[in-house]
Amino acid sequence: MSLFDIYRRRQRDRELYGDRLPPNQKVVDDWPVLTYGATPRIDLEKWRLRLFGEVEEEKEFTWQEFLALPRVTVRSDVHCVTGWSKMDNEWEGVLVKELLKHVRLRPAAKSVMVHCYGGYTTNVLLDDLLRDDVLLAYRHNGQDLTPEHGWPLRLVVPHLYFWKSAKWVRGLEFLPEDRPGFWETYGYHIRGDPWKEERYS
Ligand SMILES: Nc1nc2c(c(=O)[nH]1)N[C@H]1C(S)=C(S)[C@@H](COP(=O)(O)O)O[C@H]1N2
Ligand SMILES: [Mo]
């Protein structure tokens, strides 16, 4: 692509999406895969989602139990810290807000460490997880997630950079203080707001 092409594309993105596009992001039509390491193999029979830490009583869901929770469909945009944005994604799954009806959080709970099959972790403030468009998703644009994109279950936090949207989620650990997860330990920003360009710290 020539500089002129890049300039024209920026113009087009801005005309199409306006304020929905955070600074220095480019719209892509495909969906890149960004994983540190390999895609974990997951057996649905053994799959569990565990809610633990600052809760009165721990709670674990089997896949069948998780599927029985009330579902929503939410439309949102994806913004990756490496500079691409994928607009108008339709996610289907369970709102984190809905899931949390199944535990009693201790008053100390302030942040969440998201744990994944394969070992990845990322931290998200509790308030950031309680928004109306934050969900644990199993479908994208009308299809089951593919293994590379987080099947069976991934987190989607549309208002933060996409590294916070953990794939292959297996647990939410409630913490009294915000602690860095995997990429946050390696210099990614502790919160990651794309509109403030909180990329690295
Ligand atoms: N478990 C896990 N979740 C992850 C990652 C990862 O390596 N492992 N990468 C993160 C990063 S850096 C990005 S940009 C998005 C990429 O999601 P995608 O591969 O579906 O595009 O997933 C995030 N969630
Ligand atoms: Mo990323």
Side-chain angles (χ1 to χ4, degrees), residues 31-36 80 120 149 154 162-163 165 167-168:
W31 188 5
V33 172
L34 277 107
T35 303
Y36 184 85
C80 176
Y120 186 85
H149 288 300
R154 82 175 297 159
F162 206 36
W163 86 79
S165 293
K167 304 190 276 191
W168 314 296

Side-chain angles (χ1 to χ4, degrees), residues 6-7 9-11 13-14 17-28 78-87 161 193-200:
I6 292 171
Y7 173 78
R9 241 179 88 169
R10 281 218 173 156
Q11 264 325 64
D13 288 353
R14 217 169 288 148
Y17 301 111
D19 287 348
R20 281 170 59 194
L21 201 61
N24 296 307
Q25 294 293 116
K26 279 194 290 297
V27 175
V28 295
V78 161
H79 308 296
C80 176
V81 71
T82 60
W84 55 268
S85 291
K86 182 172 170 55
M87 312 303 276
Y161 282 122
D193 181 337
W195 282 271
K196 297 184 190 156
E197 282 202 86
E198 293 174 343
R199 296 174 191 270
Y200 310 102

Side-chain angles (χ1 to χ4, degrees), residues 102-173:
H102 296 262
V103 282
R104 267 198 301 138
L105 294 178
R106 294 200 187 116
K110 183 173 166 265
S111 177
V112 177
M113 188 65 76
V114 187
H115 294 268
C116 305
Y117 286 98
Y120 186 85
T121 55
T122 189
N123 59 296
V124 186
L125 290 172
L126 188 54
D127 282 346
D128 280 323
L129 286 183
L130 294 177
R131 296 201 185 188
D132 288 329
D133 57 358
V134 174
L135 76 164
L136 285 159
Y138 34 71
R139 286 168 73 79
H140 174 267
N141 290 352
Q143 313 231 303
D144 286 347
L145 284 177
T146 59
E148 313 80 69
H149 288 300
W151 179 92
L153 194 67
R154 82 175 297 159
L155 181 62
V156 180
V157 190
H159 66 286
L160 299 178
Y161 282 122
F162 206 36
W163 86 79
K164 297 289 188 183
S165 293
K167 304 190 276 191
W168 314 296
V169 172
R170 68 175 176 82
L172 303 180
E173 179 185 7

